[in-house]
Amino acid sequence: MSTFNLDNILSQFLIEGKVESVKPLGNGLINDTFRVVTEGDAPDYVLQRINNNIFTDVDLLQHNIEAVTGHIRRKLEAAGADDIDRKVLRFVPTQQGKTYYLDNEGRYWRVSVFIPDAVTYEQVDLTSSRNAGKAFGEFESMLVDLPEQLGETIPDFHNMELRARQLQEAIEQDKAGRVAGVADIIADLQKDMHEMCKAERLFREGKLPKRICHCDTKVNNMMYDKQGNVLCVIDLDTVMPSFVFSDYGDFLRTGANFMAEDDPKIENVGFNQDIFRAFTEGYIESARSFLTPVEVENLPYAVALFPFMQCVRFFADYLNGDTYYKIAYPEHNLVRTRNQQALYHRVTDNYDMMDNFIRTLI
Ligand code: GN1
Ligand code: MG
C-alpha cells in the first residue's frame, strides 16, 4: 500500500486544509481505504482506491453513488433535517469536477468527507440491530421514488443461479487442485442449490420486484454515533437494483452470527434469535410501507439465502485459488466457507421461529 503516491493523488481533489497523515482505515475485503487527517479546523477525509478488477465500470458506479446520495440529501433537506453531512456521504470533486480520479497507472480513487465522532462495529447489540433494521428500511424507502433506473455495478451480483454456475465452473476447472479435499461441502451445497435459487424463479414469474438496495449490508458498513444511533449507511459501491432479500438477509448473516464470518471455531457458529427479532422489528417498521406480501413471506428464506450464497462465493474463490477476496492465510477462504455453511444450517433450523415472529409484526 505504501507504494502509492498518496500525496499526488490527494492533490487532484479539492480538499480543504493541509494533510497531516494518511492511515489505513477499516476492514473491507475489496477496496483499499485510508483516513486522511488534516491540520487545524479542516475536515478529515476518506480516500479509497476502488478495486476496478471487481468494479469494472467505475463511471457507472460513481454515477449510481451520486444519484443515490444526491436523492437522499435532497430528501433530508426537504424534511429540514439537521447535520445532513453526518447522515449521507459527501464526495469531494477533483480539479476536473468528477468524483473519481484515474491515475497514470490505471488505478481509480475517490475521496469523501470523514464523519467525525462516529464509529463502525464488527458486532451489534439489540439496540444497534433494531436501529440498523430501521436504517436499511429507510434507505430503501427513500430510494423507492428515485427518478432514474440504476445500472448493476456488478451484473447479477446477488443472483444465486449465477453463483451456482460459478461454483460449478470452479469445481470443473479445479484450478488450485483443491476439489478432492472438499467433496463433503460440494455435496452438502448441492442438496439445497435449487431451493436457494427460488428468488430468481419468483422474479421470472413476475412475482418479485427489484428495488434499489444497498447489497452489502454487513454490520461494519454502517456508521453509528456514540449513543448507538445510526448516522449513515456507507460502502455504496454495490447500490443497485436487487431483491430486498439482499439487505435484509445480508445484515443478519453478519449481525446474527455469534462468530465473525471467518472464525474457525465452527462449533460456536450460531444464529442469534434475539438479534434476528430486533433487526426484523426495525426493518419492518420502516419498510412496511412498500414491502409486498411475497417479499414479507420470503424474509426467512432471505436469512438462509445469504449465508448460503456467501458460502458458495467463498468456496468458489477457494477453489479458484483465492483471486477475489483478500486473504490473510492460505486456507482463509475455506475457513470462511465452513463458517458460512454452519451458519446456513443453524438458520434453517429456525424457519418456523422466523415465520411465526414475522407474522406477529404484520
Ligand atoms: C465484500 O467490501 P466488503 O468487504 O464490504 C463483498 C460482499 C461480501 C463481503 C463478505 C463487492 O464486502 O459482497 O458479502 O465481502 N463485496 C463485493 O465479507 O464482492
Ligand atoms: Mg465495507
Side-chain angles (χ1 to χ4, degrees):
M1 281 193 203
S2 51
T3 55
F4 301 142
N5 183 349
L6 296 177
D7 290 339
N8 170 51
I9 290 153
L10 283 167
S11 72
Q12 307 298 322
F13 289 87
L14 298 173
I15 59 174
E16 291 168 42
K18 190 165 174 303
V19 174
E20 193 176 278
S21 65
V22 183
K23 304 177 197 138
L25 178 69
N27 314 317
L29 299 188
I30 308 290
N31 296 323
D32 295 321
T33 309
F34 305 88
R35 174 166 176 189
V36 180
V37 177
T38 60
E39 288 175 1
D41 287 343
D44 287 355
Y45 296 93
V46 176
L47 168 69
Q48 271 194 316
R49 186 179 76 86
I50 306 168
N51 183 335
N52 64 305
N53 287 324
I54 288 175
F55 297 106
T56 51
D57 191 343
V58 175
D59 220 46
L60 169 83
L61 177 146
Q62 283 301 116
H63 173 81
N64 280 4
I65 292 182
E66 285 168 41
V68 162
T69 53
H71 191 73
I72 294 178
R73 182 173 291 277
R74 283 187 291 277
K75 286 214 163 163
L76 292 172
E77 279 163 4
D82 50 11
D83 274 346
I84 292 180
D85 275 346
R86 293 173 70 70
K87 296 179 179 154
V88 61
L89 293 181
R90 180 188 287 283
F91 289 87
V92 179
T94 64
Q95 312 276 4
Q96 282 72 38
K98 297 180 89 150
T99 56
Y100 66 85
Y101 168 66
L102 173 59
D103 74 13
N104 293 335
E105 271 134 287
R107 290 181 296 230
Y108 288 84
W109 300 89
R110 71 178 161 218
V111 172
S112 58
V113 179
F114 180 82
I115 302 177
D117 302 316
V119 277
T120 57
Y121 294 112
E122 295 300 322
Q123 272 187 333
V124 278
D125 61 16
L126 295 185
T127 307
S128 50
S129 307
R130 188 172 290 106
N131 291 343
K134 257 177 74 182
F136 282 120
E138 273 160 18
F139 181 82
E140 290 171 355
S141 144
M142 283 199 273
L143 296 172
V144 162
D145 60 350
L146 186 80
E148 62 169 304
Q149 280 270 323
L150 296 187
E152 299 191 2
T153 55
I154 299 178
D156 289 311
F157 186 48
H158 281 166
N159 179 334
M160 191 59 232
E161 289 176 347
L162 171 80
R163 299 301 180 182
R165 284 198 296 278
Q166 289 175 334
L167 176 59
Q168 196 50 42
E169 267 169 43
I171 295 169
E172 280 159 19
Q173 296 176 353
D174 195 12
K175 285 189 189 141
R178 288 169 162 176
V179 167
V182 291
D184 61 317
I185 307 178
I186 297 176
D188 185 49
L189 293 175
Q190 273 164 353
K191 272 194 302 170
D192 291 358
M193 200 62 88
H194 179 78
E195 168 60 16
M196 286 296 116
C197 292
K198 174 170 150 190
E200 297 303 325
R201 292 193 292 278
L202 288 171
F203 177 65
R204 276 196 296 277
E205 291 161 11
K207 295 179 183 155
L208 184 66
K210 284 197 182 181
R211 308 179 183 283
I212 297 172
C213 295
H214 181 277
C215 294
D216 190 7
T217 52
K218 59 182 195 190
V219 167
N220 61 13
N221 282 334
M222 180 154 285
M223 314 260 325
Y224 291 86
D225 70 13
K226 299 216 164 125
Q227 289 72 45
N229 303 309
V230 170
L231 286 169
C232 172
V233 168
I234 58 172
D235 208 346
L236 303 173
D237 301 316
T238 52
V239 171
M240 65 176 115
S242 188
F243 310 126
V244 290
F245 305 159
S246 293
D247 291 354
Y248 177 74
D250 211 23
F251 178 88
L252 288 170
R253 181 182 74 78
T254 44
N257 189 348
F258 289 119
M259 312 304 287
E261 67 180 4
D262 64 348
D263 198 295
K265 288 192 220 72
I266 305 303
E267 60 286 3
N268 296 343
V269 165
F271 184 57
N272 186 328
Q273 299 183 337
D274 294 329
I275 296 284
F276 160 80
R277 284 188 279 261
F279 179 75
T280 302
E281 267 169 13
Y283 181 71
I284 299 273
E285 184 185 325
S286 57
R288 179 195 306 278
S289 60
F290 63 86
L291 290 178
T292 66
V294 172
E295 287 174 316
V296 173
E297 200 177 289
N298 283 290
L299 290 177
Y301 153 76
V303 187
L305 174 61
F306 278 83
F308 186 86
M309 187 186 301
Q310 195 61 61
C311 177
V312 167
R313 293 175 63 196
F314 283 146
F315 191 38
D317 197 35
Y318 175 70
L319 297 181
N320 287 333
D322 310 309
T323 58
Y324 189 92
Y325 296 104
K326 291 180 188 167
I327 53 166
Y329 54 92
E331 302 284 282
H332 204 161
N333 273 318
L334 182 60
V335 167
R336 290 167 171 154
T337 301
R338 292 203 185 275
N339 177 305
Q340 296 294 290
Q341 181 191 15
L343 177 63
Y344 167 70
H345 289 298
R346 298 296 74 77
V347 169
T348 58
D349 297 340
N350 279 279
Y351 268 139
D352 286 346
M353 181 281 291
M354 293 191 283
D355 259 337
N356 292 336
F357 182 72
I358 290 169
R359 263 178 236 284
T360 65
L361 299 178
I362 42 175

Coordinates of all heavy atoms in Angstrom, one line a residue, residues 244-288:
V244 N -35.2 -7.2 -2.1 CA -35.0 -6.7 -0.7 C -34.3 -7.7 0.1 O -33.7 -7.4 1.2 CB -36.3 -6.2 0.0 CG1 -36.8 -4.9 -0.6 CG2 -37.3 -7.3 0.0
F245 N -34.3 -8.9 -0.3 CA -33.7 -10.0 0.5 C -32.2 -9.7 0.7 O -31.6 -10.1 1.7 CB -33.8 -11.4 -0.3 CG -35.2 -11.7 -0.7 CD1 -35.4 -12.6 -1.7 CD2 -36.3 -11.2 0.0 CE1 -36.7 -13.0 -2.0 CE2 -37.5 -11.6 -0.3 CZ -37.8 -12.5 -1.3
S246 N -31.6 -9.0 -0.3 CA -30.2 -8.7 -0.2 C -29.9 -7.9 1.1 O -28.9 -8.3 1.8 CB -29.7 -7.8 -1.4 OG -29.8 -8.5 -2.6
D247 N -30.6 -6.9 1.4 CA -30.3 -6.0 2.5 C -30.7 -6.7 3.8 O -29.9 -6.7 4.8 CB -30.9 -4.7 2.4 CG -30.3 -3.9 1.2 OD1 -29.3 -4.3 0.6 OD2 -30.8 -2.8 0.9
Y248 N -31.9 -7.3 3.8 CA -32.4 -7.9 5.0 C -31.5 -9.1 5.4 O -31.0 -9.3 6.5 CB -33.8 -8.3 4.8 CG -34.5 -9.0 5.9 CD1 -34.8 -8.3 7.1 CD2 -34.7 -10.4 5.8 CE1 -35.4 -9.0 8.1 CE2 -35.3 -11.0 6.9 CZ -35.6 -10.3 8.1 OH -36.1 -11.0 9.1
G249 N -31.3 -10.0 4.4 CA -30.6 -11.2 4.6 C -29.1 -11.0 4.9 O -28.5 -11.7 5.8
D250 N -28.5 -10.1 4.2 CA -27.0 -10.0 4.4 C -26.7 -9.3 5.7 O -25.6 -9.6 6.3 CB -26.4 -9.2 3.2 CG -25.0 -9.7 2.9 OD1 -24.6 -10.8 3.3 OD2 -24.2 -8.9 2.3
F251 N -27.5 -8.5 6.2 CA -27.2 -7.9 7.6 C -27.2 -9.0 8.6 O -26.3 -9.2 9.4 CB -28.2 -6.8 8.0 CG -28.0 -6.3 9.3 CD1 -27.1 -5.2 9.5 CD2 -28.5 -6.9 10.5 CE1 -26.8 -4.8 10.8 CE2 -28.2 -6.4 11.8 CZ -27.3 -5.4 11.9
L252 N -28.3 -9.9 8.6 CA -28.4 -10.9 9.6 C -27.3 -11.9 9.4 O -26.8 -12.6 10.4 CB -29.8 -11.6 9.5 CG -30.9 -10.6 10.0 CD1 -32.2 -11.2 9.7 CD2 -30.7 -10.4 11.5
R253 N -26.7 -12.1 8.2 CA -25.6 -13.0 8.0 C -24.4 -12.6 8.9 O -23.8 -13.5 9.5 CB -25.2 -12.9 6.5 CG -24.1 -13.8 6.2 CD -23.7 -13.7 4.7 NE -23.0 -12.4 4.5 CZ -21.7 -12.2 4.8 NH1 -21.0 -13.2 5.3 NH2 -21.1 -11.0 4.5
T254 N -24.2 -11.4 9.0 CA -23.0 -10.9 9.9 C -23.6 -10.6 11.3 O -22.9 -10.9 12.3 CB -22.3 -9.7 9.3 OG1 -23.2 -8.8 8.8 CG2 -21.3 -10.2 8.2
G255 N -24.7 -9.9 11.3 CA -25.2 -9.4 12.6 C -25.7 -10.5 13.6 O -25.5 -10.4 14.8
A256 N -26.3 -11.5 13.0 CA -26.9 -12.6 13.9 C -26.0 -13.8 14.0 O -26.4 -14.8 14.6 CB -28.3 -12.9 13.4
N257 N -24.8 -13.8 13.5 CA -23.9 -14.9 13.7 C -23.2 -14.6 15.0 O -22.7 -13.5 15.3 CB -22.9 -15.0 12.5 CG -22.0 -16.3 12.6 OD1 -22.0 -17.0 13.6 ND2 -21.3 -16.5 11.5
F258 N -23.1 -15.6 15.9 CA -22.4 -15.5 17.1 C -20.9 -15.2 16.9 O -20.2 -14.6 17.7 CB -22.5 -16.7 18.0 CG -23.9 -16.9 18.6 CD1 -24.7 -18.0 18.3 CD2 -24.5 -15.9 19.4 CE1 -26.0 -18.1 18.8 CE2 -25.7 -16.0 20.0 CZ -26.5 -17.1 19.7
M259 N -20.4 -15.6 15.8 CA -19.0 -15.5 15.5 C -18.8 -14.6 14.2 O -19.7 -14.5 13.5 CB -18.4 -16.9 15.2 CG -18.8 -18.0 16.2 SD -18.4 -17.6 17.9 CE -16.6 -17.7 17.9
A260 N -17.5 -14.2 14.1 CA -17.2 -13.5 12.8 C -17.3 -14.4 11.7 O -17.2 -15.6 11.9 CB -15.8 -12.9 13.0
E261 N -17.4 -13.9 10.5 CA -17.6 -14.8 9.3 C -16.4 -15.7 9.0 O -16.5 -16.6 8.2 CB -18.0 -14.0 8.0 CG -16.9 -13.1 7.5 CD -17.2 -12.2 6.3 OE1 -18.4 -12.3 5.8 OE2 -16.3 -11.6 5.8
D262 N -15.3 -15.3 9.6 CA -14.1 -16.2 9.3 C -13.6 -16.8 10.6 O -12.4 -17.2 10.7 CB -13.0 -15.3 8.6 CG -12.5 -14.2 9.5 OD1 -13.1 -13.9 10.6 OD2 -11.4 -13.6 9.2
D263 N -14.4 -17.0 11.6 CA -14.0 -17.6 12.8 C -13.9 -19.1 12.6 O -14.8 -19.7 12.1 CB -14.9 -17.3 14.0 CG -14.3 -17.6 15.3 OD1 -14.0 -18.8 15.5 OD2 -14.1 -16.7 16.1
P264 N -12.7 -19.7 12.9 CA -12.5 -21.2 12.6 C -13.3 -22.1 13.6 O -13.4 -23.3 13.4 CB -11.0 -21.4 12.7 CG -10.5 -20.2 13.5 CD -11.5 -19.1 13.4
K265 N -13.8 -21.5 14.7 CA -14.5 -22.4 15.7 C -15.9 -22.6 15.2 O -16.9 -22.0 15.7 CB -14.4 -21.7 17.1 CG -13.1 -21.7 17.7 CD -13.1 -21.4 19.2 CE -12.0 -20.5 19.6 NZ -12.1 -19.1 19.0
I266 N -16.0 -23.5 14.3 CA -17.3 -23.7 13.6 C -18.4 -24.2 14.6 O -19.6 -23.8 14.5 CB -17.2 -24.9 12.6 CG1 -16.1 -24.5 11.6 CG2 -18.5 -25.1 11.8 CD1 -16.2 -23.2 10.8
E267 N -17.9 -24.9 15.7 CA -18.9 -25.4 16.6 C -19.6 -24.2 17.4 O -20.7 -24.4 17.9 CB -18.3 -26.4 17.6 CG -17.2 -26.0 18.5 CD -15.8 -25.8 17.7 OE1 -15.7 -26.0 16.5 OE2 -14.8 -25.5 18.4
N268 N -19.0 -23.0 17.4 CA -19.6 -21.9 18.1 C -20.4 -21.0 17.1 O -21.1 -20.1 17.6 CB -18.5 -21.0 18.7 CG -17.7 -21.8 19.8 OD1 -18.2 -22.8 20.3 ND2 -16.6 -21.3 20.1
V269 N -20.4 -21.3 15.9 CA -21.2 -20.5 14.9 C -22.7 -20.8 15.2 O -23.1 -21.9 15.5 CB -20.9 -21.0 13.5 CG1 -22.0 -20.5 12.5 CG2 -19.5 -20.5 13.1
G270 N -23.5 -19.7 15.2 CA -24.9 -20.0 15.5 C -25.7 -18.7 15.2 O -25.2 -17.7 15.0
F271 N -27.0 -18.9 15.2 CA -27.9 -17.9 14.8 C -28.5 -17.2 16.0 O -29.2 -17.9 16.8 CB -29.0 -18.5 13.9 CG -30.0 -17.5 13.3 CD1 -29.5 -16.4 12.6 CD2 -31.3 -17.6 13.6 CE1 -30.4 -15.5 12.0 CE2 -32.2 -16.7 13.0 CZ -31.8 -15.6 12.3
N272 N -28.3 -16.0 16.2 CA -28.8 -15.3 17.4 C -30.2 -14.8 17.2 O -30.5 -13.8 16.5 CB -27.8 -14.1 17.6 CG -28.1 -13.4 18.9 OD1 -29.3 -13.3 19.4 ND2 -27.1 -12.8 19.6
Q273 N -31.1 -15.5 17.8 CA -32.6 -15.2 17.6 C -32.9 -13.8 18.1 O -33.8 -13.2 17.5 CB -33.4 -16.2 18.4 CG -33.1 -17.7 17.9 CD -34.1 -18.7 18.6 OE1 -34.6 -18.4 19.7 NE2 -34.3 -19.8 18.0
D274 N -32.3 -13.3 19.1 CA -32.7 -12.0 19.7 C -32.3 -10.9 18.7 O -33.0 -10.0 18.5 CB -32.0 -11.8 21.0 CG -32.5 -12.7 22.1 OD1 -33.7 -13.1 22.0 OD2 -31.8 -13.1 23.0
I275 N -31.1 -11.1 18.1 CA -30.7 -10.1 17.1 C -31.6 -10.2 15.9 O -32.0 -9.1 15.3 CB -29.2 -10.4 16.6 CG1 -28.2 -10.2 17.8 CG2 -28.8 -9.5 15.4 CD1 -27.9 -8.8 18.2
F276 N -32.0 -11.4 15.5 CA -32.9 -11.5 14.4 C -34.2 -10.7 14.7 O -34.7 -10.0 13.9 CB -33.3 -13.0 14.2 CG -34.6 -13.2 13.4 CD1 -34.6 -13.1 12.0 CD2 -35.7 -13.5 14.1 CE1 -35.8 -13.2 11.3 CE2 -36.9 -13.6 13.4 CZ -37.0 -13.5 12.0
R277 N -34.7 -10.9 15.9 CA -36.0 -10.3 16.2 C -35.9 -8.7 16.2 O -36.7 -8.0 15.7 CB -36.6 -10.8 17.6 CG -37.2 -12.2 17.4 CD -37.9 -12.6 18.7 NE -37.0 -13.1 19.6 CZ -36.7 -14.5 19.8 NH1 -37.4 -15.4 19.1 NH2 -35.9 -14.9 20.7
A278 N -34.8 -8.3 16.8 CA -34.6 -6.8 16.9 C -34.4 -6.2 15.6 O -35.1 -5.2 15.2 CB -33.4 -6.5 17.8
F279 N -33.6 -6.8 14.7 CA -33.4 -6.2 13.4 C -34.7 -6.3 12.6 O -35.0 -5.3 11.9 CB -32.3 -7.0 12.7 CG -32.0 -6.5 11.3 CD1 -31.3 -5.4 11.1 CD2 -32.4 -7.2 10.2 CE1 -31.0 -4.9 9.8 CE2 -32.1 -6.8 8.9 CZ -31.4 -5.6 8.7
T280 N -35.4 -7.4 12.7 CA -36.6 -7.6 11.9 C -37.6 -6.5 12.3 O -38.3 -5.9 11.4 CB -37.1 -9.0 12.0 OG1 -36.1 -9.9 11.6 CG2 -38.4 -9.2 11.2
E281 N -37.8 -6.3 13.6 CA -38.7 -5.3 14.1 C -38.4 -3.9 13.4 O -39.3 -3.2 12.9 CB -38.6 -5.1 15.6 CG -39.6 -6.0 16.3 CD -39.3 -6.0 17.8 OE1 -38.5 -5.2 18.3 OE2 -39.9 -6.9 18.5
G282 N -37.1 -3.5 13.5 CA -36.7 -2.2 13.0 C -37.0 -2.2 11.5 O -37.5 -1.2 10.9
Y283 N -36.6 -3.3 10.8 CA -36.7 -3.3 9.3 C -38.2 -3.2 8.9 O -38.6 -2.4 8.0 CB -36.1 -4.5 8.7 CG -36.1 -4.6 7.2 CD1 -35.4 -3.7 6.5 CD2 -37.0 -5.5 6.6 CE1 -35.4 -3.7 5.1 CE2 -37.1 -5.5 5.2 CZ -36.3 -4.6 4.4 OH -36.4 -4.6 3.1
I284 N -39.0 -4.0 9.5 CA -40.5 -4.0 9.1 C -41.1 -2.6 9.4 O -41.9 -2.1 8.6 CB -41.3 -5.1 9.8 CG1 -40.7 -6.5 9.5 CG2 -42.8 -5.0 9.6 CD1 -41.2 -7.2 8.2
E285 N -40.7 -2.0 10.5 CA -41.2 -0.7 10.9 C -41.0 0.3 9.7 O -42.0 1.0 9.3 CB -40.6 -0.2 12.2 CG -41.1 1.1 12.7 CD -40.3 1.6 13.9 OE1 -39.8 0.7 14.7 OE2 -40.2 2.8 14.0
S286 N -39.8 0.3 9.2 CA -39.6 1.4 8.1 C -39.9 0.9 6.7 O -40.0 1.7 5.8 CB -38.2 1.9 8.3 OG -37.3 0.9 8.2
A287 N -39.9 -0.5 6.5 CA -40.1 -1.0 5.1 C -41.6 -1.4 4.9 O -41.9 -1.7 3.7 CB -39.2 -2.1 4.9
R288 N -42.3 -1.4 5.9 CA -43.7 -1.9 5.8 C -44.5 -1.2 4.7 O -45.3 -1.8 4.0 CB -44.4 -1.6 7.2 CG -45.8 -1.9 7.3 CD -46.4 -1.3 8.5 NE -45.7 -1.5 9.8 CZ -45.9 -2.6 10.5 NH1 -46.7 -3.6 10.2 NH2 -45.2 -2.7 11.6

